[in-house]
Every structure is written in structure tokens, then in C-alpha cells.
Amino acid sequence: MRISSVAMNASRALRIGMIPADGIGREVLPVAERVMSAAPGAPKFEFVHLDAGFDLFSVTGNSLPQETIDTLKNSCDGAMFGSVSSPSHSVVGYSSPIVRLRKELNLYANIRPVDGPVMSGVRGQKPVDLLTVRENTECLYVKQETQEDTPNGKVARATRQITEHASTRIGRKALEVALARKTMREKDGVNKTTKVTICHKSNVLSVTDGLFRTSVRSVYDADKKKNGGEGLYEGIELDEQLVDSMVYRMYREPEVFDVIVAPNLYGDIISDGAAALVGSLGLVASVNASDSFFMGEPVHGSAPDLVGLNKANPMASIRSAALMLQYMGYTDPALAMFKAVDAVLTEGQTLTPDLPNGKATTSEVEEAVIRAMLK
């Protein structure tokens, strides 16, 4: 898989844009910052604190200043985003800063791994180890909505955009991710089939989801044809699943899934739902990726009910920072961060209240992770 070349230049500090935005983002992102700085083998960091979010919009009328975009584009090597309090109702002039950032920085893929013991209450299952590669730039998230008055009342419409270009690109990214997982499993002696599952609903949405499905398949098929049946993705299986049956199977037998590639909306829903398998959104990380720039983003929301209580789970932000470093080429500190979080989870004595029997504070979890990392 292609990773950033930033790691090749060790002569200067890494400039990481830090965008806490709203709610608990302001509490968990500083934890990620401190854990990154303490990680063994980590480079020097220069953290650049940037503004965005609904709270900023409420004061200034702008949820994402141009200065934030320009700083990320022109002088940052990577970035971290906290959380955003996007309202569920329409607010004139407001648009989600994270959606716009993905477009401005061409972060066309959102990569969300979910792994660990199943905590859904279903007994006898193997530990879950799946990863969603979500197309990040189109689908219903193009935000082209209209509303009109008719004799029968208001009618609202939304444009759903699926393009061959974006679908082919995300298909290639998913296969690259799968190839990297296959290589790591072989190195670790893990005997598990590496598989990419295309998530769609083309039996109903035959034009839009049909284009997504065939575009992803075309990447896989073209590689085989070009290389006489034994191409770059040799050893990776490709299958597909309708989105509704996928949700059912994900909860009944999550161990059958490996890498899932999906359009924007399905990927959003599936990856959030998968978090329930391991106990909490507070554990699930993601990275928004182009081919050269990476922005970590914990999957959880802004959780306004937890603001100021020192109870927010920082593990997703720590894992997201580790993912960002991993994709930038800093595998040693990333691995140290992943292992430290896993150690604290396995020990089970320092967990926030969103997890079973959790009573620890955000600060106590931070301290536990750093202790585990430095052992």
C-alpha cells in the first residue's frame, strides 16, 4: 500500500494540524497529542492548533476558516480531527467542516478498523477483525437537497451521486489495504483468508449502486486479465453483500468479514454499527486518506453530555493518531500506541464508563496507556 514519504525526512519536526472542533474533541485530542509525543521511536512533533466546528460557526458564521484549510494544505504533514456537533436540523449557512475538509484535501477514503473480542452478548464467536473502506466524497454526502411545496404538502429531494472515477479509486484503495493486511498476516504466521466484500444495494438501486459494484469489480478483474490470472491481488478473494443482509450477518457472524468497501452512506452506518461489536464508539479509530495526506479522526461524536466531566474515552483518538502515523510511515511508534491501548483494555482495570464496569476518568486512561507504552 502507498504510504506517505514524510517518514523519509527525519531532519525536521512533523507538523501535525490539530483540529479539536466541538464537544469532547477538545478533551480527547490533547490526550492523543501527549501519547504521540511519549511514544517510543516517535519523531519530534510540532502541533499546529486550528479552528473549525459548529461552536465556531455559532460565533463567527463560519464552520471552517480558509486559514485552517490553507495551513493544512501548505504547511502540515498530517492532521487530527476531534469531533463536530453538526445539528440534526437545517441551520442556514452551516455545513459540516469534516465533510468539507475531506473534499478540500482530497481525502477520498475513510479507513475504519474494528477489532477485538465480541462484546455484543452473542456467545461463542471468534474475535472480530474487520475493516471498512468508506468512499468519502460523494453518495448522498454531496449535500444537494431541495424542498418544494406541492398540493400534497412539502416534498424533499436529495441527489445521490456515484461516479465511476470515485468508485474505481476506492476499489483500488480497498484492495491495497487488503494486500497490506495479507502481507502482515503472512509475516505474523496468521492463517486467515484475506477478502474484500463489496457492500451495495444494486438489486434496488441498479444504476447508482450498480455502477459502484461494477467499478470496484473492474479493478480486480482488470488486474487479473492484465497479469494472466496471477496479478497484484493474487490470493485476495472478492465477494459482495447486499447492505441490509450485511448488517444482519455482521452482528450474527462478524468473523466472516475482513475488508469491506462501501459507498459513503453505507460505509458510515456499517462502521459505526460495527463499533457495537467491540463495546463502544469510544474505541473505534479511523483515518481519512488521500494518496499522500492522512487525517486521523475518532469515530465517536461530540458527546455534549460528557463535556467537562473527564469521562470521555480517549482510546479512539489515540488509535486514530496511531493510524495516522502508521500511514505516514512511522510504524514503530504507531505499533507501540496500538499495543498500549490493547494492554489497558485487556487488563480491564482502567476503563471509562462507556465500557463494561468502567469507572476511570479520561486522565486516568491517558496515564495508563502511557505507562503501558513505556514498559
Side-chain angles (χ1 to χ4, degrees), residues 53-75:
F54 184 71
D55 289 347
L56 180 69
F57 172 83
S58 299
V59 175
T60 67
N62 186 358
S63 64
L64 183 61
Q66 188 63 41
E67 181 182 359
T68 295
I69 298 170
D70 292 342
T71 300
L72 291 171
K73 285 184 175 181
N74 299 327
S75 63

Side-chain angles (χ1 to χ4, degrees), residues 165-223:
H165 169 71
S167 301
T168 301
R169 183 171 61 175
I170 202 67
R172 185 174 296 109
K173 177 68 78 175
L175 287 163
E176 288 177 357
V177 169
L179 190 62
R181 282 164 74 85
K182 180 176 178 289
T183 301
M184 288 299 295
R185 284 168 178 163
E186 290 172 350
K187 286 183 178 179
D188 292 342
V190 176
N191 184 20
K192 180 177 178 179
T193 300
T194 303
K195 179 174 63 175
V196 173
T197 301
I198 308 170
C199 175
H200 62 84
K201 189 68 174 172
S202 63
N203 59 327
V204 176
L205 300 170
S206 58
V207 176
T208 50
D209 276 20
L211 179 59
F212 182 84
R213 172 185 174 273
T214 57
S215 296
V216 174
R217 277 199 166 276
S218 71
V219 180
Y220 187 80
D221 294 341
D223 177 70

Side-chain angles (χ1 to χ4, degrees), residues 6-330:
V6 174
M8 301 298 291
N9 185 357
S11 62
R12 62 173 178 84
L14 278 186
R15 283 176 58 86
I16 305 297
M18 303 296 283
I19 314 165
D22 303 319
I24 61 170
R26 302 192 192 102
E27 300 176 32
V28 296
L29 231 57
V31 174
E33 187 175 310
R34 290 188 288 269
V35 173
M36 274 193 287
S37 296
K44 294 180 180 179
F45 293 107
E46 179 183 349
F47 296 107
V48 184
H49 298 277
L50 301 169
D51 291 327
F54 184 71
D55 289 347
L56 180 69
F57 172 83
S58 299
V59 175
T60 67
N62 186 358
S63 64
L64 183 61
Q66 188 63 41
E67 181 182 359
T68 295
I69 298 170
D70 292 342
T71 300
L72 291 171
K73 285 184 175 181
N74 299 327
S75 63
C76 288
D77 301 304
M80 287 289 298
F81 189 92
S83 60
V84 64
S85 298
S86 291
S88 58
H89 59 283
S90 176
V91 176
V92 176
Y94 175 77
S95 61
S96 170
I98 186 63
V99 172
R100 186 178 169 201
L101 274 174
R102 289 167 181 164
K103 292 179 179 178
E104 290 280 354
L105 300 173
N106 196 29
L107 303 174
Y108 64 86
N110 185 258
I111 301 169
R112 296 186 177 186
V114 173
D115 60 86
V118 174
M119 300 178 69
S120 64
V122 180
R123 298 182 182 276
Q125 288 178 324
K126 300 175 183 178
V128 61
D129 180 16
L130 60 84
L131 182 150
T132 302
V133 181
R134 167 189 170 193
E135 203 289 318
N136 233 3
T137 65
E138 49 182 28
C139 191
L140 285 171
Y141 289 66
V142 295
K143 299 262 307 177
Q144 294 177 10
E145 296 182 289
T146 61
Q147 181 175 286
E148 62 178 301
D149 292 316
T150 74
N152 294 320
K154 295 183 184 299
V155 175
R157 293 184 177 88
T159 296
R160 183 175 192 252
Q161 176 178 297
I162 300 291
T163 65
E164 184 179 27
H165 169 71
S167 301
T168 301
R169 183 171 61 175
I170 202 67
R172 185 174 296 109
K173 177 68 78 175
L175 287 163
E176 288 177 357
V177 169
L179 190 62
R181 282 164 74 85
K182 180 176 178 289
T183 301
M184 288 299 295
R185 284 168 178 163
E186 290 172 350
K187 286 183 178 179
D188 292 342
V190 176
N191 184 20
K192 180 177 178 179
T193 300
T194 303
K195 179 174 63 175
V196 173
T197 301
I198 308 170
C199 175
H200 62 84
K201 189 68 174 172
S202 63
N203 59 327
V204 176
L205 300 170
S206 58
V207 176
T208 50
D209 276 20
L211 179 59
F212 182 84
R213 172 185 174 273
T214 57
S215 296
V216 174
R217 277 199 166 276
S218 71
V219 180
Y220 187 80
D221 294 341
D223 177 70
K224 275 193 168 184
K225 184 177 180 180
K226 179 180 178 181
N227 295 283
E230 300 214 0
L232 178 63
Y233 309 124
E234 180 68 19
I236 297 173
E237 294 183 4
L238 184 71
D239 70 358
E240 54 190 85
Q241 189 86 47
L242 297 178
V243 63
D244 44 358
S245 59
M246 167 165 277
V247 171
Y248 177 79
R249 291 195 74 193
M250 189 174 70
Y251 285 105
R252 296 291 296 176
E253 44 181 343
E255 68 276 5
V256 305
F257 295 110
D258 187 15
V259 176
I260 301 164
V261 59
N264 209 334
L265 180 62
Y266 302 158
D268 193 3
I269 295 169
I270 287 169
S271 55
D272 277 7
L277 294 168
V278 294
S280 172
L281 280 172
L283 297 178
V284 180
S286 80
V287 66
N288 298 280
S290 70
D291 291 329
S292 59
F293 192 90
F294 306 96
M295 180 172 69
E297 179 195 0
V299 172
H300 60 68
S302 60
D305 56 319
L306 296 180
V307 172
L309 300 180
N310 199 24
K311 291 183 179 180
N313 190 339
M315 289 184 173
S317 66
I318 297 169
R319 282 176 160 176
S320 296
L323 272 178
M324 177 194 66
L325 290 176
Q326 174 188 338
Y327 279 84
M328 292 176 70
Y330 294 92

